[in-house]
Amino acid sequence: MNGARKVREDGPRHGIAEGPNDRAASRPLLLRGDICCTGNRGAPGRRADRRPSIRSVAGALRLSARAMLPFYREVAANRRFAERWSRDIVALRLDDMKRRLAQASPLAGRLEQGIGTNGIGYFVDYPSPGTTDAYATGITIPPGTVQFYFAPGAHRAVAAALLPFCGALASDRGYAYALASAMERADRGAVSALVRRRVKAGELRAVDGAPGYLALDFKPPGSRYVYRNLFFREGL
């Protein structure tokens, strides 16, 4: 796997647009950050050839959930931490973000292969166990909605809503595999049902899933903006 590289503010960017059900629209615009470079995804094959892909996604879901769970717990429980994290996002302070992430979750600090911010959210890259792939996860306001804004109260609400979901992914291999399988089939109904089995918060407004991609849209109380929790394979 190639090493992480620095993305300048005028460097490579992911495409953007709006719409909770538009997979391409949900991809983040990274203004500044460390992105892990990964190989290209192979063409779809027979069912037997797809099983390693599902296992790979399930493994990545579980690993990222284990890494982010203590971080989300800290965000939800610690108002001062959430406020400082939001200030770091808006100011594009990557070094402070990396330090705070590692403080809240030592596992995330050891495993993360890059961290990025677009001024309205953040993304952390993690490896996919046993593969050369990398997956990014994080929370962002959809690009095009607002600039350089990330409310700590809304972030805390989303983080709290994600705790049982991340806990289930981290602890239940069968649940992670079922979700990865539904994503691989692009079965949005099954993906939504599986997610909503664990995320009971009324703030969850929409769920979208496709191969190597998952998006959960939240509208926290009092927030003017949607906050989107994303999980996606780098290079999609």
Side-chain angles (χ1 to χ4, degrees):
M1 179 183 297
N2 295 326
R5 59 186 171 88
K6 193 77 169 181
V7 176
R8 302 188 309 275
E9 291 190 26
D10 60 347
R13 303 181 180 191
H14 293 278
I16 58 169
E18 294 187 35
N21 293 320
D22 184 345
R23 180 158 54 103
S26 300
R27 295 174 188 163
L29 170 63
L30 291 179
L31 297 182
R32 182 175 294 175
D34 295 320
I35 308 300
C36 180
C37 306
T38 62
N40 294 327
R41 183 185 184 190
R46 295 169 300 179
R47 175 175 295 183
D49 296 328
R50 294 170 63 189
R51 290 176 182 171
S53 175
I54 295 173
R55 286 198 297 268
S56 171
V57 174
L61 281 167
R62 297 192 70 212
L63 184 65
S64 63
R66 286 175 53 212
M68 295 301 286
L69 184 58
F71 171 76
Y72 289 144
R73 188 178 292 121
E74 184 70 10
V75 169
N78 190 330
R79 178 176 58 84
R80 180 172 295 182
F81 180 90
E83 289 173 346
R84 290 173 174 171
W85 183 263
S86 289
R87 287 197 294 268
D88 291 342
I89 286 175
V90 173
L92 307 179
R93 293 194 290 252
L94 284 174
D95 289 342
D96 288 342
M97 291 173 64
K98 290 172 72 73
R99 177 173 56 82
R100 294 192 206 285
L101 177 67
Q103 287 176 346
S105 174
L107 178 62
R110 292 196 303 271
L111 291 178
E112 63 93 358
Q113 296 184 331
I115 189 167
T117 180
N118 51 9
I120 52 173
Y122 60 93
F123 303 94
V124 185
D125 287 353
Y126 291 106
S128 173
T131 77
T132 59
D133 290 337
Y135 288 80
T137 189
I139 298 171
T140 185
I141 299 172
T145 306
V146 69
Q147 292 183 329
F148 299 104
Y149 178 84
F150 195 78
H155 187 206
R156 294 182 68 197
V158 173
L162 287 171
L163 290 178
F165 178 57
C166 289
L169 287 173
S171 62
D172 190 338
R173 189 186 305 270
Y175 177 71
Y177 190 91
L179 180 58
S181 179
M183 291 162 58
E184 179 66 25
R185 300 192 309 270
D187 187 339
R188 291 179 176 177
V191 170
S192 181
L194 284 162
V195 169
R196 293 177 185 277
R197 184 186 302 173
R198 300 296 183 176
V199 183
K200 303 297 186 180
E203 295 89 343
L204 180 62
R205 298 297 178 85
V207 179
D208 191 16
Y213 174 85
L214 180 66
L216 281 62
D217 279 5
F218 293 87
K219 189 72 180 299
S223 174
R224 294 174 56 190
Y225 306 110
V226 166
Y227 284 73
R228 180 169 292 156
N229 174 233
L230 282 168
F231 169 88
F232 60 94
R233 193 177 72 177
E234 287 288 2
L236 279 180

